[in-house]
Amino acid sequence: MEHWRSLLWFLLFGFTVHVTNTQKTVCLEANIADIVFLVDGSWSIGTENFKSMQNFLYTLINGFDVGQDKIRIGLIQYSDEPRTEFYLNSYDEKDDILQYVQNLKYKGGGTKTGESLQFMLDNHFTESAGGRALNGVPQIAVVITDGQSQDNIREPSKKVKDADITLYAIGIKDALLTELNDIASDPDEKHVYNVADFTALQGISQNMLQVLCTTVEEATRQIGQIAKGCRGANQADIVFLVESSTRVGDSAFQKVKDFLYGFVSNLDVGINKVRIGLAQYSDETNAIFLLNDYSTKSEILERIQSLSYTRGTSYTGRALEIVNNRFFIESAGSRATDNIAQFLVVVTNGKSADEVKQPAKELKSRGIYVYVTGHNIKDIAELQEVASRPSRKFIYPQESFDTAEDVNTRLLKNVCSNIATKIRASSKRYADVVFLVDSSSSIGTAVFQQIKAFITRIIEQLDVGINKYRVGLAQYSGAAQTEFLLNTYDTKQEVTDHIQTIAFRGGPLNTGSALDYLHTTFFVEEAGSRINQGLSQFAVIITSAKSQDIVNEYAQQLKSIGVTAIAVGIRNSNKRELEEIATNPFAFQLRDLQGIRDVEQQIINTVVTQEMLQFALIPDAPAVCSSASLADIVFVIDESSGIGETNFQLTRVFLHKVINALEIGLNKVRLGLVLYSDKPNLEFKLNTFKEKYEVLDYITKLPYRGGQAHTGAALNFVRKELFSQDNGGRAHHGVQQIAVVMTNGQSKDDPTKPAAKLRRSGVEVFAVGFKNANKTELKSIVSHPPRKHISKVKSFIQLPNINLRLKKLLCREIVVQSFALPALARSLKDGCVDTEEADIYFLIDGSGSIYPEDFEDMKNFMTKVVSVFQVGPNSVRFGVVQYSDNPRVEFTINMFNAQKTLKEAIKEIYQLGGGTQTGKALQSMKSLFAQAKSERPNKVPQSLIVITDGESQDRVTEAAADIRGDGITVYAIGVRNAVEEQLEDIAGSKDKMFFVNNFDSLDLIKHELTRDLCTPEACKDMRADILFLIDSSGSINNNDYEKMKEFMNSIVKQSEIGPDRVQIGLIQFSSETKEEFPLNKYKKKNEIQDAISSMQKLDGGTLTGVALQDALPYFSLARGGRPKTKQYLIIVTDGESSDPVEKPAADIRSKSVDIYAVGVLNANNTQLLEIAGKQDRVFLADNFDALAFLNKDIMFEICNPQDPCKRTEVADIIFLVDASSSITVSQFKVMQRFMEAVVNDSMVGKENVQFGAVTYGTTPEEQFPLKAHSSKSEVRKAIYSLKRKKGFTYTATALMYTQERFDPIYGGRPGVARIIILITDGETTLADRPKLDTVPQSLRNNGFIIFAVGVGGAKREELEKIAGQPDRWFLVNNYTSLEALHENITHIVCDQSKPAVFIYLLKNFGRWLYKSTKLSSTKLASL
């Protein structure tokens, strides 16, 4: 640019304002091209300046050899809209064109450059307008503009360039350089011209003319020599491996030579362009010529023609090995180390006599593209082993060599496309570099001068320019000051000259505020930053001492936008502060300036290498990925024009890093990939690749096409094609299905319905939004909840910041689906057993805004919620009311008393349509709940679940409050357009409110809703010791520390605190462990919450192992732990422990303490698993905000300890109670409480557990039969109505009597476990004692199970004789001990009543089928 300016005044003297026809043609060698000028005619130019532009055009056109068979000229003037002045075929004579230009009328108007570029492509570079592209004539366009375009220019300019049109951009005065760069062909320094004003145009006319002449000459030279699609594919190493065995034959071998000759003829061959090598093989492999043997195309073609046919057997495997070792090495001319694409084209006739798989793998693992072609090939499977994948892109079989021409064309096109992709992906990338220099008193004048020299030496080694490396600089002490911005100077000389003039300031050192200044002043587009174009951003911060303000927060903000921070500390700098500032590992500390030259070189290498654009060879996998071993994942990636080549390279690198973290394999994680713009392009299927290296290699070569984003079409394609069984999907085997959508902007089609269909098919959808991605659109695409499924960046260079997040999200989701979700489903099923009695109504929106398929989603959701509960007239009851303009009762709460009929009734509901009168519907529910309440003999929990998709047309606040005032819990579920404020008004609090973006996402909140419905009952009367172990290390900032406190307080809030209920203790740790309070210190909830709120952060390292070791004694009796009480440790940490954790954690678990491990940010999943012992007790969060969503999950787990037999499910149980004279009134009450406890631990009902009671003294008496009561409350009431009897202890007689009470006439059921629980406090009366030898044995022989519970004076020998086996009799010293015994008995009773599951195999038509059946203990005993 400076070159042009320096010539400006000199050149101006060579021209006058009016150009005459005496000027001669300059471009004598450039004799054929199509050139269209696109000229800005907007009002901002003005009449005088427009005249200057006419003169400039005149000069250029006059220099060409114009004619219909020579150079053709077209002209468009544009403003608000483009106007054709003349087409390429309008004029044959140069004079006619020059006259038209002199008389050109000034148009006036706005500046729609984008629209005009598209107009030029559609209307001027066409055959009808005189375009000769089909004849291989060079196509050139020159855009001249003076200002910023009022529309988008990136996409239309890309389309122009994609059409093989060389595009020049000339900017005048206020033209934006970034726009000129976007418009012009690459490289920008050859195709972009910018002048200060219109008078300077004439000064560059001759230079511009010469550039155009050179372009035309070069392009003309290539016409007829290089295939159209291969003109940009001018750097590659290609080796041909040609079979010459006996089976080929003379005639066919000649056609092979013709094939090679035609292929090479179409390439741009040269020692610095495309290099060619050739090997011939049969029994032996001969190197005909290496990659560096010939430098010209003619030499290569001549050698191909002289190739002679040999004979022998085809040893392809050996040939592949020789080619790998002799051709693709540096000494043979391979340029792989220079990142030049490497190709092998194997021409064969069929199956090899030796093994090909391993030598082919070794070639491909080096990143070499392997193509296979040949005729009459029978074994395609072998070709697939040789060729790169996917096979459809790398295998080109021919029926015969007569079809070689067609195959040659297709193969050539693919090879050239891959060469061009590789060139673009590995082309030189520039960067923006900003220096922030300490100018405080602590650095001093002398050192400051040395630092200026240090910066100058770095800049001297960079290729500085407005389209190359841009440099900015600020100095700081107490405040920061701009020396020059990134767009202040165009040349290296200007930059270095300014640095010499910088004066030392002195003063205090505030690095934090200086970093903030850097962020807001330099790394913005107005200052010349190219951050949005994907160019790397570097900040080199030089500091001499510890800052007097906080740096960590501002450093994180700077790095979060994608800036690579390089920190150079000198003199008294603080090492830890440097590490906080820098992007790892770019923190350098020098006490003196001795090693500054080494640091200087490392900074240059870092800037030039630009790691964010490089493919990492070593996988950087979060530990959680080691457990994520089975899933089908399809990436769906936007490749539209708005992205650009540099940003797409960042996308390739990002994808490469994510995939590198996964366990890839056909029996592990499978991957598929679709790129999309105007249409979806399948890159590879789920079953294409067998090994990770193949996938990673393919990612480095991903093509970039451009176009417009049609996300909806891509999602439809993925659903129909990618996840199918034929294409490698394993949904039919229960393998998790995941799609990851990566998009840059708003889709041209609506992705909402295609995304919903994809999710409904069982695919979990994640989205990464780049730059202009629409957040609302992303929410419509992803699965619920969006906070877990959406990652968004403002620019592509921020992608490395979310690389770890996406890897963790994917791996965690695979692990969660495999371990945690099944455990949660188990917890819900078990936890909801505690909800024995409840009345629940659904109030569902049936308005016209809901699509039919969405209404079906709502019905499916209700069905799944119902499935969790024990439905029955005396258990949990459900009703449904639908509403729109008016409510309609679908069925009341007492209509369906079984799950099956209830689900069928839900299925039959049809949609109302109409408006959304939620308030009126809520009012109607009050009477329904009142009716339900009147039908119950005692009070039961009542809940209302409201589901709506829009804003209510009437008020909801009063009606909802009225319902809640009656003690009814209201849950509000909003979908899509529902108003969150109204949902909160309905529910009464945010914790009873749910929101999903799509109806199909309702399925994903069923666990959350049922957990909330069941938790109050599950946590009722819970006893637990809970100890928090909290990471308080220096890596956790103060805000996040407060969020940990909120997490703990939320668990305290949900617990019933007290010495007989829940106790809570707290320890925090870093490099040391600190007790905050033990389990038994506080007896009240507010005391614990106050203690948590007042705790102070420790800082330091992370010694989790030591902390676990220190925590173990806190569960002992001495530290407040309670025997026979469930104990829990909840550990929260944000990083990897510096010491071993496995043994101390195992020691804690060995004491029957359950550990829940919560990992945030960079926590190590492997360590968390070692701590918790089970994956379903590991909870992972992206950030500390996510802790707020974990407290309910953990609390529900604690309320529902895993228990193989939580409830007695199916049995007939009769209490046989000693009510003789020896038992006092108070003792009898203890017996009643014991029986009540057993009942409470059972599922009471006609289809579940039935209870009866017999009391006895001298004679037995039935108090109530098995069939008398069908609800728990009725049984409890009957137990407390039992009366004491007089008389002696006739136990054997009572047992005989009780046996008869199991008869069907009393309610006994065949095939159900029959259990007698005997409770006695004394020895059997002497007269009845002989019967004890026979009666109990007879009962057991008939399938009865007898539990004998003895108190005080009961005899052990008698209890053993009655029960028959050791685990069925119990003897306690007194009645107080009896109350604590019920848990032991309940477990054993539960085990006896549990159905036994048998698995047997049926051999059917050669397939083994698993079948299962359930048998009760009674039936089992009879087998």
Side-chain angles (χ1 to χ4, degrees):
M1 190 59 64
E2 187 61 25
H3 172 67
W4 300 129
R5 288 177 179 172
S6 64
L7 288 173
L8 179 59
W9 290 107
F10 170 77
L11 291 170
L12 277 174
F13 285 106
F15 298 93
T16 60
V17 176
H18 297 286
V19 183
T20 68
N21 288 344
T22 59
Q23 290 173 298
K24 295 180 180 179
T25 298
V26 175
C27 295
L28 297 175
E29 297 293 322
N31 55 11
I32 187 165
D34 294 338
I35 304 176
V36 176
F37 292 92
L38 179 62
V39 179
D40 185 348
S42 60
W43 288 128
S44 59
I45 290 175
T47 307
E48 286 303 313
N49 289 333
F50 189 74
K51 194 65 180 173
S52 299
M53 195 149 54
Q54 285 176 272
N55 292 332
F56 176 68
L57 280 173
Y58 191 105
T59 302
L60 292 183
I61 294 168
N62 199 29
F64 292 119
D65 188 7
V66 175
Q68 279 302 298
D69 296 323
K70 298 177 182 178
I71 292 178
R72 294 182 182 181
I73 304 292
L75 178 62
I76 305 164
Q77 185 182 175
Y78 76 94
S79 54
D80 295 313
E81 58 184 25
R83 180 176 77 195
T84 296
E85 299 296 345
F86 52 83
Y87 293 106
L88 289 164
N89 55 4
S90 295
Y91 297 109
D92 295 341
E93 300 295 330
K94 183 195 293 186
D95 287 345
D96 295 334
I97 296 173
L98 293 175
Q99 186 177 349
Y100 191 104
V101 168
Q102 283 181 314
N103 298 325
L104 190 62
K105 291 188 176 7
Y106 178 34
K107 190 173 186 295
T111 311
K112 295 286 184 71
T113 312
E115 182 184 329
S116 304
L117 283 163
Q118 187 66 50
F119 176 84
M120 178 180 72
L121 179 63
D122 295 340
N123 296 283
H124 280 252
F125 286 104
T126 62
E127 193 170 4
S128 61
R132 295 169 290 176
L134 294 177
N135 299 324
V137 174
Q139 307 289 286
I140 299 170
V142 181
V143 179
I144 307 172
T145 181
D146 87 321
Q148 185 172 356
S149 177
Q150 294 166 345
D151 61 355
N152 173 41
I153 52 91
R154 185 171 287 179
E155 189 170 309
S157 63
K158 186 176 189 307
K159 286 184 177 179
V160 172
K161 290 177 281 190
D162 285 348
D164 278 339
I165 298 166
T166 302
L167 195 48
Y168 289 88
I170 300 173
I172 308 160
K173 203 169 62 171
D174 297 324
L176 279 182
L177 185 60
T178 53
E179 275 196 4
L180 298 176
N181 290 344
D182 282 340
I183 291 170
S185 297
D186 291 328
D188 293 335
E189 56 265 29
K190 287 185 179 180
H191 296 90
V192 175
Y193 299 84
N194 204 1
V195 293
D197 53 42
F198 282 87
T199 58
L201 264 181
Q202 203 64 39
I204 67 165
S205 60
Q206 286 302 312
N207 293 291
M208 186 72 212
L209 179 60
Q210 192 57 56
V211 167
L212 289 172
C213 291
T214 304
T215 302
V216 175
E217 285 168 13
E218 178 64 21
T220 303
R221 185 185 64 79
Q222 294 181 357
I223 292 174
Q225 297 179 24
I226 300 168
K228 180 182 175 183
C230 295
R231 290 176 190 170
N234 54 10
Q235 275 200 320
D237 296 337
I238 304 176
V239 177
F240 291 93
L241 178 60
V242 178
E243 182 184 336
S244 183
S245 66
T246 304
R247 69 184 176 192
V248 174
D250 289 307
S251 174
F253 189 74
Q254 182 56 47
K255 290 183 177 177
V256 170
K257 289 166 61 177
D258 294 342
F259 164 78
L260 293 174
Y261 191 95
F263 198 102
V264 173
S265 296
N266 282 291
L267 297 172
D268 193 2
V269 175
I271 200 67
N272 295 315
K273 296 184 177 181
V274 177
R275 295 183 181 180
I276 304 293
L278 176 62
Q280 184 179 11
Y281 79 96
S282 54
D283 297 303
E284 301 295 330
T285 301
N286 299 313
I288 305 302
F289 54 87
L290 300 175
L291 288 162
N292 54 2
D293 282 347
Y294 297 124
S295 59
T296 66
K297 185 187 293 188
S298 58
E299 291 175 301
I300 293 168
L301 294 176
E302 187 178 336
R303 185 65 186 89
I304 289 171
Q305 283 181 316
S306 66
L307 189 64
S308 55
Y309 172 48
T310 61
R311 288 172 175 77
T313 305
S314 175
Y315 283 90
T316 311
R318 186 191 304 161
L320 291 169
E321 188 177 345
I322 290 170
V323 165
N324 191 15
N325 295 330
R326 290 191 57 188
F327 280 77
F328 291 106
I329 56 175
E330 193 170 357
S331 60
S334 170
R335 294 169 291 175
T337 54
D338 296 328
N339 214 14
I340 303 295
Q342 308 288 289
F343 292 83
L344 174 64
V345 181
V346 181
V347 186
T348 179
N349 271 43
K351 190 169 178 60
S352 174
D354 60 352
E355 192 269 332
V356 299
K357 184 176 180 179
Q358 188 57 35
K361 179 179 177 179
E362 289 174 8
L363 275 161
K364 292 181 287 187
S365 65
R366 293 179 58 193
I368 298 167
Y369 297 82
V370 181
Y371 289 84
V372 180
T373 186
H375 83 284
N376 198 28
I377 297 170
K378 300 290 189 296
D379 191 355
I380 292 293
E382 183 175 271
L383 297 191
Q384 289 173 337
E385 293 291 353
V386 174
S388 298
R389 296 174 189 269
S391 301
R392 61 189 171 80
K393 291 189 175 185
F394 291 93
I395 297 178
Y396 293 82
Q398 309 162 21
E399 292 181 9
S400 70
F401 277 104
D402 292 329
T403 62
E405 187 175 345
D406 177 56
V407 172
N408 190 3
T409 302
R410 290 188 292 112
L411 177 56
L412 182 69
K413 182 180 178 182
N414 191 297
V415 169
C416 288
S417 173
N418 277 326
I419 294 172
T421 295
K422 179 71 173 178
I423 289 170
R424 289 195 297 269
S426 56
S427 62
K428 184 172 177 60
R429 313 285 181 185
Y430 292 104
D432 297 335
V433 185
V434 179
F435 292 89
L436 178 64
V437 185
D438 177 353
S439 182
S440 67
S441 301
S442 63
I443 196 170
T445 308
V447 175
F448 185 74
Q449 294 304 318
Q450 289 178 284
I451 293 303
K452 283 165 60 177
F454 165 71
I455 294 170
T456 302
R457 288 195 299 272
I458 291 173
I459 293 169
E460 288 289 356
Q461 296 186 61
L462 297 176
D463 189 6
V464 176
I466 204 69
N467 290 315
K468 299 176 182 178
Y469 286 103
R470 293 185 183 178
V471 178
L473 190 144
Q475 62 166 310
Y476 78 100
S477 50
Q481 172 186 305
T482 298
E483 290 296 333
F484 51 89
L485 298 172
L486 288 161
N487 56 2
T488 301
Y489 297 124
D490 293 349
T491 68
K492 186 186 298 185
Q493 191 63 49
E494 290 172 309
V495 171
T496 54
D497 286 349
H498 186 119
I499 291 172
Q500 302 313 310
T501 67
I502 298 174
F504 176 69
R505 294 169 63 192
L509 186 67
N510 291 321
T511 310
S513 61
L515 289 169
D516 184 43
Y517 182 82
L518 210 62
H519 177 190
T520 56
T521 306
F522 280 80
F523 292 105
V524 292
E525 206 160 3
E526 297 77 16
S529 170
R530 294 169 289 182
I531 190 167
N532 290 328
Q533 297 172 44
L535 271 73
S536 299
Q537 308 288 290
F538 292 93
V540 181
I541 300 103
I542 303 165
T543 183
S544 65
K546 191 171 186 345
S547 176
Q548 293 172 16
D549 61 355
I550 296 170
V551 303
N552 189 32
E553 184 179 343
Y554 295 117
Q556 289 301 325
Q557 288 175 3
L558 183 65
K559 290 181 283 189
S560 72
I561 65 168
V563 175
T564 299
I566 302 170
V568 180
I570 55 176
R571 305 197 78 175
N572 300 313
S573 59
N574 180 280
K575 180 68 173 175
R576 182 172 173 183
E577 184 176 86
L578 293 174
E579 289 171 349
E580 285 180 350
I581 293 169
T583 301
N584 189 40
F586 305 124
F588 306 99
Q589 188 174 35
L590 301 166
R591 288 300 172 194
D592 52 43
L593 297 178
Q594 290 295 322
I596 200 163
R597 293 279 184 170
D598 292 335
V599 172
E600 178 184 309
Q601 198 54 51
Q602 288 184 66
I603 291 172
I604 292 164
N605 292 341
T606 301
V607 171
V608 172
T609 304
Q610 296 182 49
E611 284 190 16
M612 67 172 59
L613 288 163
Q614 307 302 317
F615 296 105
L617 299 177
I618 301 170
D620 175 22
V624 66
C625 289
S626 63
S627 306
S629 56
L630 193 64
D632 293 339
I633 305 175
V634 174
F635 288 91
V636 192
I637 299 179
D638 180 353
E639 58 167 341
S640 60
S641 300
I643 292 172
E645 187 61 54
T646 301
N647 285 334
F648 195 75
Q649 174 64 8
L650 289 167
T651 306
R652 289 186 189 105
V653 172
F654 174 73
L655 186 60
H656 191 277
K657 288 178 178 176
V658 171
I659 289 172
N660 209 3
L662 301 172
E663 292 292 320
I664 308 296
L666 287 178
N667 297 316
K668 298 177 182 177
V669 176
R670 292 185 181 181
L671 294 178
L673 175 62
V674 170
L675 299 181
Y676 75 93
S677 52
D678 297 315
K679 63 182 181 67
N681 295 293
L682 173 62
E683 293 301 324
F684 54 84
K685 305 172 186 176
L686 287 163
N687 55 4
T688 295
F689 295 114
K690 296 179 181 178
E691 299 188 55
K692 182 190 284 190
Y693 82 87
E694 296 177 295
V695 185
L696 294 175
D697 182 51
Y698 191 88
I699 296 303
T700 66
K701 301 161 183 172
L702 276 185
Y704 172 57
R705 301 173 183 87
Q708 294 186 320
H710 289 78
T711 312
L715 293 174
N716 269 332
F717 178 80
V718 166
R719 176 177 57 84
K720 292 174 183 176
E721 300 293 334
L722 267 293
F723 288 104
S724 68
Q725 189 173 341
D726 289 344
N727 289 333
R730 296 172 290 174
H732 59 293
H733 289 314
V735 175
Q736 191 181 1
Q737 311 289 283
I738 295 173
V740 182
V741 181
M742 299 167 66
T743 181
N744 177 55
Q746 192 153 348
S747 177
K748 294 297 179 184
D749 59 356
D750 187 357
T752 306
K753 283 191 175 181
K757 287 181 179 178
L758 183 62
R759 294 191 302 267
R760 286 191 186 105
S761 70
V763 178
E764 184 168 12
V765 185
F766 291 83
V768 177
F770 309 136
K771 202 172 169 186
N772 302 316
N774 183 294
K775 191 71 177 280
T776 303
E777 184 172 279
L778 293 178
K779 285 182 177 180
S780 75
I781 291 171
V782 299
S783 298
H784 180 81
R787 62 184 169 80
K788 283 187 178 179
H789 291 87
I790 294 176
S791 301
K792 196 169 185 304
V793 291
K794 291 181 180 177
S795 65
F796 282 80
I797 66 166
Q798 289 178 281
L799 281 174
N801 294 342
I802 63 163
N803 167 41
L804 180 64
R805 168 181 159 81
L806 184 62
K807 286 189 282 196
K808 278 190 171 183
L809 279 173
L810 290 175
C811 294
R812 186 184 311 154
E813 199 56 34
I814 297 169
V815 170
V816 165
Q817 290 288 337
S818 303
F819 300 100
L821 271 186
L824 177 58
R826 187 270 322 151
S827 293
L828 285 170
K829 197 73 179 172
D830 290 352
C832 288
V833 166
D834 288 306
T835 308
E836 294 164 326
E837 296 175 305
D839 289 340
I840 302 171
Y841 264 107
F842 289 101
L843 179 59
I844 60 171
D845 184 348
S847 60
S849 60
I850 297 171
Y851 293 116
E853 58 267 31
D854 293 336
F855 194 74
E856 288 300 313
D857 287 329
M858 197 153 37
K859 287 159 64 175
N860 291 334
F861 171 71
M862 290 190 286
T863 300
K864 288 178 180 177
V865 171
V866 165
S867 300
V868 176
F869 294 90
Q870 304 300 319
V871 176
N874 298 307
S875 303
V876 181
R877 305 189 299 175
F878 284 92
V880 178
V881 175
Q882 183 185 177
Y883 76 94
S884 55
D885 295 308
N886 294 292
R888 180 178 76 193
V889 177
E890 299 296 343
F891 53 85
T892 57
I893 215 155
N894 58 2
M895 287 180 69
F896 301 104
N897 297 322
Q899 271 198 9
K900 184 179 179 182
T901 54
L902 185 57
K903 290 176 182 178
E904 287 171 354
I906 291 171
K907 189 177 179 181
E908 294 302 316
I909 297 172
Y910 66 89
Q911 190 176 350
L912 282 170
T916 310
Q917 299 281 340
T918 313
K920 186 192 292 187
L922 286 166
Q923 288 172 357
S924 73
M925 298 307 301
K926 192 172 173 68
S927 59
L928 291 172
F929 276 108
Q931 177 63 32
K933 186 176 182 180
S934 69
E935 295 166 357
R936 294 276 195 179
N938 54 297
K939 186 178 180 181
V940 303
Q942 292 186 311
S943 299
L944 174 65
I945 302 167
V946 182
I947 310 175
T948 180
D949 87 321
E951 184 174 5
S952 177
Q953 295 163 344
D954 60 352
R955 286 184 61 81
V956 298
T957 310
E958 294 79 12
D962 201 18
I963 292 174
R964 296 196 306 272
D966 288 342
I968 298 161
T969 303
V970 182
Y971 297 91
I973 302 174
V975 186
R976 199 178 293 137
N977 299 317
V979 179
E980 295 197 35
E981 291 80 5
Q982 279 193 349
L983 296 176
E984 190 173 349
D985 283 344
I986 293 169
S989 64
K990 284 190 175 179
D991 64 341
K992 297 285 189 292
M993 183 185 101
F994 301 87
F995 187 88
V996 293
N997 286 289
N998 310 280
F999 276 90
D1000 61 274
S1001 296
L1002 285 172
D1003 187 49
L1004 299 171
I1005 64 163
K1006 66 179 182 291
H1007 288 324
E1008 294 176 64
L1009 177 66
T1010 49
R1011 179 198 60 206
D1012 278 15
L1013 284 165
C1014 300
T1015 296
E1017 292 298 308
C1019 293
K1020 186 174 64 179
D1021 301 330
M1022 179 183 73
R1023 276 172 59 92
D1025 290 342
I1026 302 173
L1027 182 66
F1028 289 109
L1029 184 59
I1030 301 300
D1031 184 348
S1032 187
S1033 59
S1035 59
I1036 298 171
N1037 64 43
N1038 291 333
N1039 286 338
D1040 291 336
Y1041 187 69
E1042 291 303 314
K1043 287 166 189 171
M1044 274 200 294
K1045 291 183 183 180
E1046 291 169 15
F1047 167 73
M1048 290 186 286
N1049 271 326
S1050 67
I1051 288 181
V1052 174
K1053 184 180 177 182
Q1054 294 176 73
S1055 304
E1056 190 178 340
I1057 303 298
D1060 296 322
R1061 288 289 178 258
V1062 177
Q1063 292 189 153
I1064 290 181
L1066 173 59
I1067 300 170
Q1068 58 175 330
F1069 71 95
S1070 57
S1071 305
E1072 58 186 37
T1073 306
K1074 181 188 177 189
E1075 174 197 299
E1076 292 297 329
F1077 52 88
L1079 289 164
N1080 60 353
K1081 181 168 184 178
Y1082 297 117
K1083 307 294 188 290
K1084 294 179 181 178
K1085 190 175 290 190
N1086 66 306
E1087 293 175 332
I1088 298 174
Q1089 290 175 321
D1090 289 345
I1092 290 172
S1093 298
S1094 62
M1095 62 189 274
Q1096 298 297 310
K1097 190 164 168 283
L1098 297 176
D1099 287 326
T1102 310
L1103 294 176
T1104 314
V1106 171
L1108 287 164
Q1109 192 174 323
D1110 292 344
L1112 178 58
Y1114 282 84
F1115 291 99
S1116 67
L1117 188 62
R1119 298 287 187 94
R1122 295 169 293 178
K1124 296 184 180 179
T1125 298
K1126 285 296 293 181
Q1127 296 185 312
Y1128 301 92
L1129 176 70
I1130 301 174
I1131 180 170
V1132 184
T1133 181
D1134 83 322
E1136 189 166 344
S1137 176
S1138 304
D1139 60 347
V1141 298
E1142 189 170 14
K1143 186 180 184 304
D1147 290 343
I1148 292 176
R1149 296 197 307 273
S1150 71
K1151 302 297 183 183
S1152 298
V1153 177
D1154 289 341
I1155 305 179
Y1156 291 94
V1158 180
V1160 190
L1161 293 172
N1162 299 315
N1164 183 319
N1165 183 75
T1166 302
Q1167 283 192 344
L1168 295 174
L1169 183 55
E1170 288 175 352
I1171 293 168
K1174 295 180 179 180
Q1175 188 66 54
D1176 59 299
R1177 288 183 182 163
V1178 172
F1179 295 84
L1180 295 160
D1182 295 331
N1183 49 53
F1184 283 90
D1185 290 324
L1187 288 176
F1189 299 96
L1190 293 181
N1191 64 75
K1192 289 183 178 180
D1193 292 335
I1194 294 174
M1195 197 63 193
F1196 191 76
E1197 287 285 323
I1198 291 173
C1199 292
N1200 289 279
Q1202 286 195 20
D1203 191 335
C1205 204
K1206 187 177 175 70
R1207 288 284 182 273
T1208 305
E1209 296 176 5
V1210 182
D1212 287 345
I1213 301 174
I1214 295 180
F1215 292 109
L1216 179 56
V1217 183
D1218 181 352
S1220 59
S1221 303
S1222 60
I1223 296 172
T1224 66
V1225 172
S1226 61
Q1227 290 169 341
F1228 193 72
K1229 285 190 179 299
V1230 173
M1231 294 171 80
Q1232 287 172 314
R1233 287 202 295 272
F1234 169 78
M1235 288 185 280
E1236 180 190 25
V1238 173
V1239 171
N1240 285 341
D1241 284 336
S1242 304
M1243 292 165 52
V1244 178
K1246 293 291 184 187
E1247 304 296 324
N1248 299 105
V1249 180
Q1250 296 185 138
F1251 282 96
V1254 173
T1255 55
Y1256 75 98
T1258 304
T1259 58
E1261 181 183 347
E1262 183 177 67
Q1263 297 297 320
F1264 56 89
L1266 290 165
K1267 66 180 181 181
H1269 306 298
S1270 58
S1271 72
K1272 193 172 288 189
S1273 58
E1274 293 172 350
V1275 176
R1276 285 194 292 249
K1277 187 176 180 180
I1279 286 171
Y1280 280 103
S1281 299
L1282 295 179
K1283 305 295 183 188
R1284 290 169 58 243
K1285 292 176 67 65
K1286 301 291 184 182
F1288 300 102
T1289 309
Y1290 278 75
T1291 306
T1293 301
L1295 282 166
M1296 291 172 62
Y1297 174 85
T1298 304
Q1299 178 181 3
E1300 298 169 3
R1301 303 298 108 185
F1302 286 94
D1303 193 273
I1305 63 170
Y1306 302 109
R1309 297 168 293 176
V1312 171
R1314 296 175 294 178
I1315 300 172
I1316 299 171
I1317 300 177
L1318 167 69
I1319 310 167
T1320 181
D1321 82 330
E1323 189 175 6
T1324 301
T1325 299
L1326 185 62
D1328 200 44
R1329 209 172 295 162
K1331 293 180 184 178
L1332 286 179
D1333 293 326
T1334 57
V1335 170
Q1337 184 61 52
S1338 174
L1339 282 166
R1340 290 195 301 274
N1341 289 343
N1342 286 321
F1344 286 90
I1345 299 163
I1346 308 172
F1347 291 91
V1349 181
V1351 186
K1355 296 296 182 184
R1356 171 177 175 168
E1357 295 78 11
E1358 281 192 5
L1359 297 174
E1360 286 179 341
K1361 193 178 290 186
I1362 292 167
Q1365 58 189 67
D1367 63 340
R1368 293 185 184 172
W1369 66 268
F1370 305 88
L1371 180 61
V1372 294
N1373 294 326
N1374 51 54
Y1375 279 90
T1376 305
S1377 302
L1378 181 62
E1379 286 192 80
L1381 186 64
H1382 84 271
E1383 285 188 12
N1384 291 347
I1385 292 205
T1386 298
H1387 272 277
I1388 300 168
V1389 170
C1390 180
D1391 285 334
Q1392 294 301 322
S1393 69
K1394 222 176 162 188
V1397 179
F1398 285 83
I1399 297 177
Y1400 56 93
L1401 294 168
L1402 295 177
K1403 193 171 184 183
N1404 183 22
F1405 300 108
R1407 295 179 65 194
W1408 289 97
L1409 303 174
Y1410 286 94
K1411 294 285 185 181
S1412 68
T1413 187
K1414 293 185 178 181
L1415 299 173
S1416 68
S1417 299
T1418 309
K1419 283 190 175 179
L1420 180 58
S1422 66
L1423 289 176

